[in-house]
Amino acid sequence: MSSQEIHQLPQGFLHGFATAAYQIEGSPTAVGRHPSVWDTYTHIPPVPGTRPIADSSSGDVATDSFNRWRTDVQLLKEYGANAYRFSLSWSRVVKEDGKTPNVEGIKWYRAFIEELVKEGIKPAVTLYHWDLPQVLHDRYGGWLSRDVVPDFVSYAKICFEAFGDLVKHWITLNEPWIVSVHGYGYGTFAPGRSSDRTRSAEGDSTTEPFIVARHLILSHAYAVKLYRDEFHATQGGVIGITLDGSWYMPYDDTPENVEAVQTAFDSRFGWFADPIYKGHYPASVKKLIGDRLPDFSEEEWKVVKGSSDFFGVNTYTSNLVQSGGSEEYNGKIKTGFIRPDGTQLGTQAHVSWLQTYGPGFRQLLGYLYKTYKKPVYVTENGFAVKDENSLSSDGDDVVNDTDRVAYYRDYTKGLLEAVTIDGVDVQAYFAWSLLDNFEWAEGYRVRFGVTYVNYETQERRPKASSKFLKEWFEQHAQA
Ligand code: GBH
């Protein structure tokens, strides 16, 4: 390989790792933090006797990153990251009234962000990664009420004021589809509302996810408006949203299955992305949800349309799509990994929803760029190795994460081809995750980290995948 052929990622490309507050911080009452809906959900099951979390755990300790943050910054340095995506805990940043700045909490984040910057690591900050202050849920139903919009905007304002001199990359919301559907449809994530009475005592899965989605979109859009009106001129950063989804391909070439692919994209991405980047809902979503899909006023549409500087995407896998599913959040399509000839897309992860398929990643990057015409930020991408959690923490097997290395080899190849061959404007890549951590409803049974965490001692051990990415960043990103 000649020297011209390496360093193909564009100047200024952000490369690093991602985490989220509730999954790593622990210390739920330190520096004036108060409960979020995830504290409540993990401690009080929505229906007595049910187990919302597979191993009955919580984020009370997690990776203890509230105390071990200097170690985490050193890991980032060691891995050659020039950026770190993490989220702020809303209930550490504001007081228990849900509004007033919490000086102690802000001071803690400020010290952390200063350390990152000092080490040459750019902070990419997510304002909301699923941890709504419980007080706002109790006061007016949280995301179910439009009252959440001014509260989110005032929280965002506190963050721009406190950290905006150092933070130049803001992500308003992480995966609003998941918040809406898992939180208020299936009831498998906090606050655990669902029509399924074996999961939840309250909720209406046929309407609530759509109402919640509307308030998420408005909260995002008005926070962006505030940033652009009052902070951008002096702080000069960018702000956008992160959506999640997969690359969808037809199971076979029947017209129904080919059409189902577009419906899959519309339901997973378009429900949020079309309003934000195009200023209208996708036709297939409108048709399917009808008048349960709440519209925006003319004034709101003006704020929503164009409210993201980039397309943030969390993506892990690809799916083969068939028509004829029953579930409307997904556009009534069926997804799978097995082709008609019986072969599967790639290596199966420990979680059922994930198989390795790098070519689909390349295709997805191209699709999002072509469809939404914004620079793409890959804000999460990663793999959970099968049975990794049953390995002994003392042995070397836990750091020899061969399937994760193979995954990253395949996906970084897809990324590079998207950039250099397809001409896709990708400007960031964050691997999920810096550390093994609290994997929501799976608890600590599922590990996504490039660093092994021994949950008894909190010892961190770099896995082979961290070394692979370090070398890949060195070879492909410009200094
Ligand atoms: C990301 O979501 C999250 O942003 C991150 O916090 C998380 O740790 C990471 O994924 C790894 O899971 O069990 O069949 O109902 C990615 C979207 C949402 C995909 C939840 C899997 C559960 C599918 N994920 N979903 S299922």
Side-chain angles (χ1 to χ4, degrees), residues 166-327:
L166 300 177
V167 175
K168 303 302 165 191
H169 298 87
W170 293 99
I171 295 144
T172 52
L173 307 175
N174 182 69
E175 302 184 351
W177 191 100
I178 298 291
V179 177
S180 309
V181 172
H182 280 261
Y184 300 81
Y186 309 147
T188 47
F189 285 2
R193 294 177 64 88
S194 177
S195 298
D196 180 345
R197 293 289 168 255
T198 64
R199 302 211 80 106
S200 173
E202 290 171 67
D204 178 354
S205 306
T206 64
T207 55
E208 289 186 2
F210 306 104
I211 295 164
V212 163
R214 177 170 188 275
H215 297 141
L216 286 163
I217 293 171
L218 287 173
S219 296
H220 151 80
Y222 279 94
V224 171
K225 178 173 162 40
L226 171 79
Y227 186 77
R228 289 176 178 168
D229 289 351
E230 292 181 27
F231 294 92
H232 182 264
T234 50
Q235 299 185 344
V238 294
I239 184 162
I241 193 166
T242 280
L243 307 180
D244 80 292
S246 311
W247 172 245
Y248 304 106
M249 320 175 256
Y251 174 77
D252 56 24
D253 56 14
T254 61
E256 310 87 80
N257 292 343
V258 172
E259 195 193 314
V261 166
Q262 190 54 49
T263 312
F265 279 114
D266 290 349
S267 307
R268 195 63 182 228
F269 289 109
W271 175 8
F272 297 89
D274 285 19
I276 289 169
Y277 297 96
K278 297 178 173 176
H280 56 77
Y281 278 111
S284 69
V285 174
K286 269 170 60 177
K287 196 171 147 213
L288 200 60
I289 310 304
D291 53 16
R292 286 176 297 127
L293 186 70
D295 206 350
F296 298 107
S297 70
E298 210 176 302
E299 190 203 316
E300 288 168 343
W301 272 119
K302 280 197 200 124
V303 179
V304 169
K305 185 181 180 182
S307 62
S308 195
D309 295 330
F310 52 82
F311 196 110
V313 62
N314 291 349
T315 189
Y316 289 79
T317 197
S318 294
N319 284 146
L320 297 163
V321 174
Q322 285 175 278
S323 67
S326 57
E327 208 220 278

Side-chain angles (χ1 to χ4, degrees), residues 262 274 277-278 365-374:
Q262 190 54 49
D274 285 19
Y277 297 96
K278 297 178 173 176
L365 294 171
Y367 172 83
L368 296 176
Y369 184 53
K370 194 176 93 222
T371 309
Y372 297 109
K373 303 181 171 60
K374 285 286 173 188

Side-chain angles (χ1 to χ4, degrees), residues 1-9 475-476:
M1 198 186 262
S2 83
S3 61
Q4 276 90 3
E5 284 169 315
I6 54 172
H7 303 302
Q8 303 100 322
L9 293 173
Q475 283 167 10
H476 298 94

Side-chain angles (χ1 to χ4, degrees), residues 23 129 174-175 178 182 316 353 380 432 439-440 448:
Q23 296 180 272
H129 201 123
N174 182 69
E175 302 184 351
I178 298 291
H182 280 261
Y316 289 79
W353 53 271
E380 288 180 26
W432 184 272
E439 179 50 25
W440 308 112
F448 271 92

